[in-house]
Amino acid sequence: MSIRQFFLLSSLLLALPALAQTPASAAVSLEQALQAARNNLDVALARNALAAARADVVSANRAPFPVLTAKLGQMDLQNGIGDGNFMTEKRVDKSIGLDWTWERGNKRELRTLTAERAASAAQADLDEIRTQQLLGVQAGFYNLLAAQERLAQVTLIERSAAQLASAAQKRLQAGDLAAQDAARTEIEAQRARSDVQLAELDRQRAALLLWQFTGLPTPPDRLQAQTDWPALAGDRTVAHHLDVLVDARPDVRAAQARLQAAQAALDGSTAQRRSDITWGASYDHYPGTSTALIELRMQMPLQWGYSYQGEIARASAQLAQAQDALEKIRRQARAELQRLQQEALNTAQRARTYEVDILPRARQVAQGAELAYSKGAMSLTDLLDARRTLRATLLDALAARTDYAKATGAWQLRTQAQAAASAAPSH
């Protein structure tokens, strides 16, 4: 295979990698992979945690149940309880009563508020986990796509090296080439075959990782990524203000909700200093004395020597912990957004440099070397160096495009989701 034919096949393969897929493979688009990530097992676990947190709100938002009491008393075992109807004539004090606890200090409201803030944190956790899964699936998709195209590139290189080695053997038999040069071409062909095996292993690993993230029904050995490279566009990563994006991030919103829950829990602990009062009333029936007796009662704990200092101190420590956690997560969020922004800018510039400048020049150099070698104006050593340079440049260009796709995709996932969250009305 000549170097010109290699260029044509390489360009065709980069434009239409689906041609290199086997009929048994199942191609998956980026959108299909992202949709599967939105409902994978990690998201399902977070969704169940949110359902449990919402159930806690229902449990917290209720008053203490009234207590029904039935009692039989004043039964004279020595002299007996007399004759007649048990309910109306026997000398037994029969009583039925109702007790109800009045929670003071807004305990129910504070308890419910704490549960509601915890549920808000669980909702934000669900959003964050879903975003993390989308980020992982997107990176896995582009890793698989890059592995497929890398495999196609090294396969073409292996075929070209094999043909060069075959032609060298024929020239060696004809006495037109030194044995050392023929051996060098065979070594290059063996190295190319080894590169193909390594590229196939990388493709299998990338497919397995994407399958683990998505849980797609397609087996990993048949999973293929459709060509869905993002276009090399200009700078579009500075349209958002970082402060707005930081506040809208799900992990920051979760930390804020946990801080509010900790404040409500502290208020609830402080409210325990106000003792709850239990009100009660009973109706008594005692033949021979009275058949209609009423008892009214009131109970409350006497807080002597202890005012819930331990509960309040613990809640205060948890509030301080939540404040520190919020500050830490804010700093991490800002640092990550700045990193994503810079990565999107730098990888875009690097990918454009390879696409527009480096790769075309490397192809021109390789074409010139092939032409010079065919006319006897260049040694085999120089031809092999030119091919190695082209191979390295092709793979570096593919790596640059992959880095750009992952970086710009991560930036878009973060900014789009958080911009939408910041624009949404608060509830």
Side-chain angles (χ1 to χ4, degrees), residues 358-371:
I358 300 177
L359 189 56
R361 290 166 58 189
R363 285 173 173 165
Q364 291 177 359
V365 170
Q367 287 176 343
E370 180 71 19
L371 179 62

Side-chain angles (χ1 to χ4, degrees), residues 164 166-182 185 373-376 378-380:
L164 181 62
S166 177
Q169 288 296 325
K170 295 178 180 179
R171 292 180 59 185
L172 176 62
Q173 295 174 0
D176 188 35
L177 187 68
Q180 183 177 6
D181 289 341
T185 60
Y373 180 76
S374 64
K375 295 183 177 181
M378 178 177 285
S379 64
L380 178 62

Side-chain angles (χ1 to χ4, degrees), residues 197-271:
Q197 294 173 351
L198 181 59
E200 174 60 26
L201 179 59
D202 290 340
R203 189 204 65 79
Q204 293 174 358
R205 289 172 175 170
L208 180 59
L209 183 60
L210 180 61
W211 180 80
Q212 288 177 335
F213 263 106
T214 58
L216 291 168
T218 305
D221 56 343
R222 293 181 51 208
L223 190 60
Q224 294 279 348
Q226 289 183 1
T227 302
D228 201 359
W229 292 112
L232 291 175
D235 177 22
R236 294 182 298 179
T237 65
V238 294
H240 304 287
H241 199 278
L242 284 181
D243 290 336
V244 177
L245 296 177
V246 168
D247 291 336
R249 279 177 60 109
D251 51 353
V252 175
R253 289 189 284 112
Q256 290 173 335
R258 289 190 172 92
L259 175 61
Q260 295 170 351
Q263 181 62 61
L266 175 59
D267 295 339
S269 298
T270 305

Side-chain angles (χ1 to χ4, degrees), residues 54-95:
R54 288 174 175 171
D56 290 339
V57 177
V58 179
S59 301
N61 189 23
R62 68 167 185 85
F65 289 126
V67 178
L68 178 66
T69 304
K71 181 180 69 171
L72 297 176
Q74 301 294 330
M75 291 182 289
D76 192 345
L77 299 180
Q78 181 179 359
N79 300 314
I81 59 176
D83 301 325
N85 185 274
F86 181 81
M87 296 299 299
T88 60
E89 298 178 359
K90 291 186 179 297
R91 293 189 301 275
V92 176
D93 184 9
K94 296 171 285 294
S95 174

Side-chain angles (χ1 to χ4, degrees), residues 164 180-181 184-185 188 369 373 378-389:
L164 181 62
Q180 183 177 6
D181 289 341
R184 294 179 61 190
T185 60
E188 289 295 321
Y373 180 76
M378 178 177 285
S379 64
L380 178 62
T381 299
D382 294 335
L383 175 64
L384 294 179
D385 288 342
R387 288 194 172 192
R388 291 169 186 164
T389 300

Side-chain angles (χ1 to χ4, degrees), residues 71 97 152 180 192 259 284 289 343 354 417:
K71 181 180 69 171
Q180 183 177 6
L259 175 61
D284 293 271
T289 301
E343 286 180 355
Y354 268 97

